Amino acid sequence: MNCAWQELLGILPIHIRQELTEQDKLSVQEIRLRLDKNPDLVCGLQSRSLSAVVSRQDLSFVINTASQYSPWSAATSAMGYITAAGGHRIGICGECTVRDDRVVGIRTVTSLCIRVARDIVGIAPSVDRLKGSVLILGPPGSGKTTLMRDLVRNISEAGPGSITVVDERGELFPANCGFSTGNRTDVLTGVSKPEGISMALRTMGPKWIAVDEITEAADCRALMQTGWCGVRLLATAHAKDIQDLRQRSVYKPLTQCDLFDTILILREDKSWRMERMRL
């Protein structure tokens, strides 16, 4: 298991950083910072509080330090998150600034949720078990990105074709953090999913295209346009199972056109089960 631990420590105030242990390096999944409260470390189904009390300066330190590493932070902070070096995602909560019925920023930050990015080898199925395109389902924080990262590697090593990863926020394979991509993986970073999918198809000639977190209708349209061009797809979506997926309007076009054949559904304990899409 690999984790960009030093990059994570670098965005934390020193009095919080000093309370983290070597065991936390192996097990912590989220660090939750709430104004005037004790930091909360989430490790699977358990959590523990640190002795430090989070100040407004602590919250500002995390955001300011993390945003220096991310060229997309200004745009994504209005969506409620920042991606820090090492692929760690920081969710932001507080008082929003709204203009023309749209959130354009967060004026006063009161809570942060730092999701620790990890690279775990050997958790994904072998490629010979996969049929057609693959969709990974699970609620937020269930391990979709971690499973996808390992599956990209398996696909890359199985060959003979290549896989292009559209890594919009630099979370799947962050630069300079030691996450192995495999020998036949090309990573496109810093571009929107729809545009990146189109670019990958036009310029890289991949056998597979991988994209994390389908959240908008434009993402679905781009996948459908590409999926019928002889390319297999690997993607993740927020849903607890196939039934839940079908009930969400944004995903209905995907379920109605048989785009994905293999569905990997994450359980609460981070294990997964494989199902076939049946309409």
Side-chain angles (χ1 to χ4, degrees):
M1 178 168 55
N2 191 11
C3 171
W5 190 247
Q6 292 305 314
E7 285 78 1
L8 176 66
L9 294 179
I11 66 173
L12 295 174
I14 188 167
H15 66 105
I16 295 176
R17 187 188 317 166
Q18 290 175 337
E19 291 197 56
L20 299 181
T21 68
E22 283 298 311
Q23 182 59 39
D24 293 329
K25 181 178 179 180
L26 299 175
S27 61
V28 67
Q29 297 171 5
E30 295 177 354
I31 302 174
R32 293 184 173 268
L33 306 180
R34 299 178 176 93
L35 182 62
D36 297 331
K37 304 288 178 59
N38 300 102
D40 197 27
L41 303 187
V42 180
C43 305
L45 301 179
Q46 299 181 337
S47 64
R48 90 169 196 274
S49 295
L50 303 181
S51 64
V53 175
V54 177
S55 67
R56 196 170 298 281
Q57 289 75 19
D58 292 332
L59 298 175
S60 297
F61 178 88
V62 173
I63 293 174
N64 292 335
T65 306
S67 63
Q68 292 174 5
Y69 294 96
S70 173
W72 314 284
S73 59
T76 61
S77 62
M79 299 170 62
Y81 70 89
I82 293 173
T83 301
H88 309 294
R89 185 193 291 193
I90 304 171
I92 308 171
C93 194
E95 182 183 357
C96 296
T97 301
V98 179
R99 186 178 302 130
D100 297 326
D101 295 325
R102 294 186 61 185
V103 176
V104 296
I106 299 181
R107 182 187 302 119
T108 305
V109 176
T110 55
S111 301
L112 298 176
C113 175
I114 305 172
R115 290 166 58 178
V116 181
R118 297 189 181 279
D119 185 26
I120 305 176
V121 177
I123 60 174
S126 61
V127 177
D128 59 11
R129 296 185 61 188
L130 306 178
K131 177 183 177 183
S133 294
V134 180
L135 183 62
I136 299 173
L137 301 182
S142 59
K144 295 185 297 296
T145 300
T146 305
L147 178 59
M148 185 181 196
R149 192 178 288 125
D150 194 42
L151 189 50
V152 165
R153 248 191 316 266
N154 287 356
I155 292 169
S156 174
E157 294 301 325
S162 64
I163 178 168
T164 299
V165 178
V166 180
D167 194 3
E168 182 177 9
R169 298 175 297 268
E171 292 182 353
L172 269 167
F173 295 104
N176 304 316
C177 72
F179 290 4
S180 172
T181 62
N183 291 326
R184 301 181 185 88
T185 302
D186 305 298
V187 182
L188 184 61
T189 305
V191 63
S192 70
K193 289 186 281 289
E195 187 175 358
I197 291 168
S198 177
M199 289 174 61
L201 182 66
R202 293 196 314 266
T203 64
M204 298 307 296
K207 183 177 180 180
W208 288 79
I209 293 178
V211 57
D212 198 14
E213 288 200 8
I214 308 166
T215 57
E216 299 180 4
D219 303 338
C220 296
R221 288 194 296 268
L223 289 172
M224 289 187 292
Q225 291 168 359
T226 301
W228 309 122
C229 296
V231 178
R232 294 173 71 175
L233 303 171
L234 170 61
T236 69
H238 292 298
K240 65 179 182 180
D241 51 33
I242 294 176
Q243 182 180 3
D244 189 28
L245 183 79
R246 289 175 176 156
Q247 291 175 344
R248 299 191 59 186
S249 58
V250 70
Y251 299 135
K252 277 189 177 180
L254 300 181
T255 63
Q256 291 171 345
C257 69
D258 291 327
L259 185 62
F260 291 96
D261 298 277
T262 301
I263 310 296
L264 300 179
I265 303 172
L266 281 153
R267 303 184 179 98
E268 194 175 76
D269 63 358
K270 309 295 183 182
S271 64
W272 52 266
R273 71 179 189 273
M274 182 183 295
E275 293 188 9
R276 304 297 180 190
M277 180 69 81
R278 298 184 180 91
L279 297 178

